[in-house]
Amino acid sequence: MVKFAFLTLLFDDRLYMAVSELETERGYADLALIVRPDMRRFQALDLLLEFKYLSLKELGLSGEQVQQESRDAMAQRPAVAAKLDEAEAQARDYGGTLTRRHGLTDLRAFAVVALGVERLVWRRLPGTAAKITS
């Protein structure tokens, strides 16, 4: 559901090739928005989002508690941090494949964790595509 919401909000087929569950060498990237070759003249970013989900029950919090806590504080909770780390590792791996396959030079990747349907917590992977593959 979270991925569908992102697709709905971010999808612009005039600018992007949106690919979901794109097969990579070691798995499936959740959502990649790759700038179309004929639109590279515009300042648009190639994006990779890797999603994970934590139920409120797993987190041990209510929806109200999740909404009131800062994003940084939520990201430091052990269960959330573990999911962010998992998503980041996959995004780094998948980012390397996307970079090679599409000849990207500056892929921006994000680890995103949905906390129930109440909240999102994310982490931007530092660096460019060249660093993602390392």
Side-chain angles (χ1 to χ4, degrees):
M1 182 173 94
V2 174
K3 185 170 40 170
F4 182 74
F6 268 81
L7 273 170
T8 302
L9 294 172
L10 297 174
F11 184 67
D12 179 353
D13 66 353
R14 294 168 295 170
L15 187 59
Y16 286 106
M17 298 181 297
V19 288
S20 176
E21 298 300 326
L22 176 71
E23 185 174 355
T24 64
E25 284 130 9
R26 295 184 204 107
Y28 296 88
D30 281 334
L31 178 59
L33 296 168
I34 307 299
V35 177
R36 290 175 30 170
D38 60 323
M39 294 298 187
R40 291 260 167 219
R41 66 185 180 273
F42 297 110
Q43 289 185 329
L45 299 173
D46 296 301
L47 302 168
L48 170 63
L49 296 102
E50 187 61 32
F51 296 102
K52 297 296 171 199
Y53 177 82
L54 261 176
S55 70
L56 296 182
K57 186 175 181 177
E58 289 176 282
L59 200 51
L61 297 173
S62 70
E64 187 175 304
Q65 289 171 310
V66 165
Q67 291 174 6
Q68 290 177 353
E69 198 164 325
S70 74
R71 183 174 62 88
D72 290 336
M74 289 302 304
Q76 292 176 15
R77 289 182 168 271
V80 178
K83 289 288 186 183
L84 283 168
D85 290 345
E86 183 182 344
E88 181 175 338
Q90 287 179 305
R92 286 186 183 285
D93 186 34
Y94 302 154
T97 300
L98 290 170
T99 297
R100 288 186 300 278
R101 186 176 291 172
H102 295 283
L104 306 178
T105 59
D106 193 19
L107 178 66
R108 305 296 172 99
F110 296 85
V112 181
V113 177
L115 307 176
V117 294
E118 283 77 14
R119 186 83 186 268
L120 293 175
V121 177
W122 68 92
R123 179 189 300 159
R124 179 175 178 241
L125 279 63
T128 63
K131 293 180 184 175
I132 288 173
T133 61
S134 61

